[in-house]
Amino acid sequence: MSHRPEYRETIKTVLGADATFSSYTQISAWANAVNAEVMPAWFVATPREQPSRSAHGQSQRVTDLIVGLKRLGGDAIEDALDADAVVIERLVIGALRTRERDCELTVIDIKTDGGAEQRVGTLTLTFRITAWMPDPALS
C-alpha cells in the first residue's frame, strides 16, 4: 500500500474512534456541496506530495495531509471550530509522528458563511508529513 492512502486511513480511523468526532459524518474531501442534514461532517485528503532524493538509496517525501470539518452554528461558531482544531491537532500528530516520520501542523484556516442564525463554519487543518523511505528508483 502506498503511504498516502495509509495516512488517510489512519486518520479516518482515529477520528472515527474519537468521542468528539465519532458521531460526525465522514464525507468526501472532493464533495462540491454539503447539505446541512449531514453536518457536522469531516474529511481527510492528501492533495500534494513533494518527493526528493535525500541520500543514495533513500528518498524524502513531504506530504500535505488536510483534515477538514464543516459544522452549523451561530455567533460562537468560531470558538467551536477552534476547540475542534485543538482535538484534531492532538489526534493527527499522535497518530502519524514516529521516529521515521515527522508530522507538524502548518496551517489552520477557518471560514464562516451564512446568516446570523445558521452559519456554516469550515475548519481546514494542513499538516506536513515528512517521511524518509527507500528510493523507489532502486526498488
Side-chain angles (χ1 to χ4, degrees):
M1 176 184 260
S2 169
H3 54 280
R4 288 183 305 278
E6 179 185 335
Y7 297 159
R8 291 190 302 269
E9 287 306 313
T10 297
I11 299 310
K12 288 175 185 179
T13 300
V14 167
L15 290 177
D18 184 75
T20 304
F21 304 110
S22 62
S23 64
Y24 292 18
T25 305
Q26 180 186 336
I27 59 173
S28 167
W30 312 113
N32 290 329
V34 179
N35 295 327
E37 295 82 36
V38 303
M39 289 187 220
W42 57 267
F43 60 86
V44 178
T46 50
R48 178 177 139 145
E49 182 171 274
Q50 296 175 299
S52 64
R53 188 170 166 191
S54 60
H56 182 68
Q58 189 169 9
S59 70
Q60 176 178 304
R61 303 283 174 146
V62 179
T63 306
D64 289 343
L65 179 123
I66 308 291
V67 177
L69 187 138
K70 290 186 172 284
R71 66 162 55 241
L72 296 173
D75 290 336
I77 193 166
E78 190 172 5
D79 293 338
L81 293 170
D82 282 334
D84 291 332
V86 169
V87 177
I88 292 169
E89 179 179 7
R90 177 181 49 81
L91 292 171
V92 170
I93 291 174
L96 293 178
R97 188 180 283 167
T98 67
R99 290 184 59 150
E100 298 80 27
R101 181 175 58 218
D102 189 27
C103 179
E104 64 180 317
L105 178 62
T106 58
V107 177
I108 299 173
D109 186 44
I110 293 177
K111 295 179 182 165
T112 59
D113 299 308
E117 288 185 27
Q118 273 298 62
R119 291 189 180 123
V120 175
T122 303
L123 168 68
T124 307
L125 291 92
T126 303
F127 296 86
R128 178 177 297 131
I129 304 164
T130 304
W132 297 267
M133 51 190 66
D135 188 339
L138 300 176
S139 300

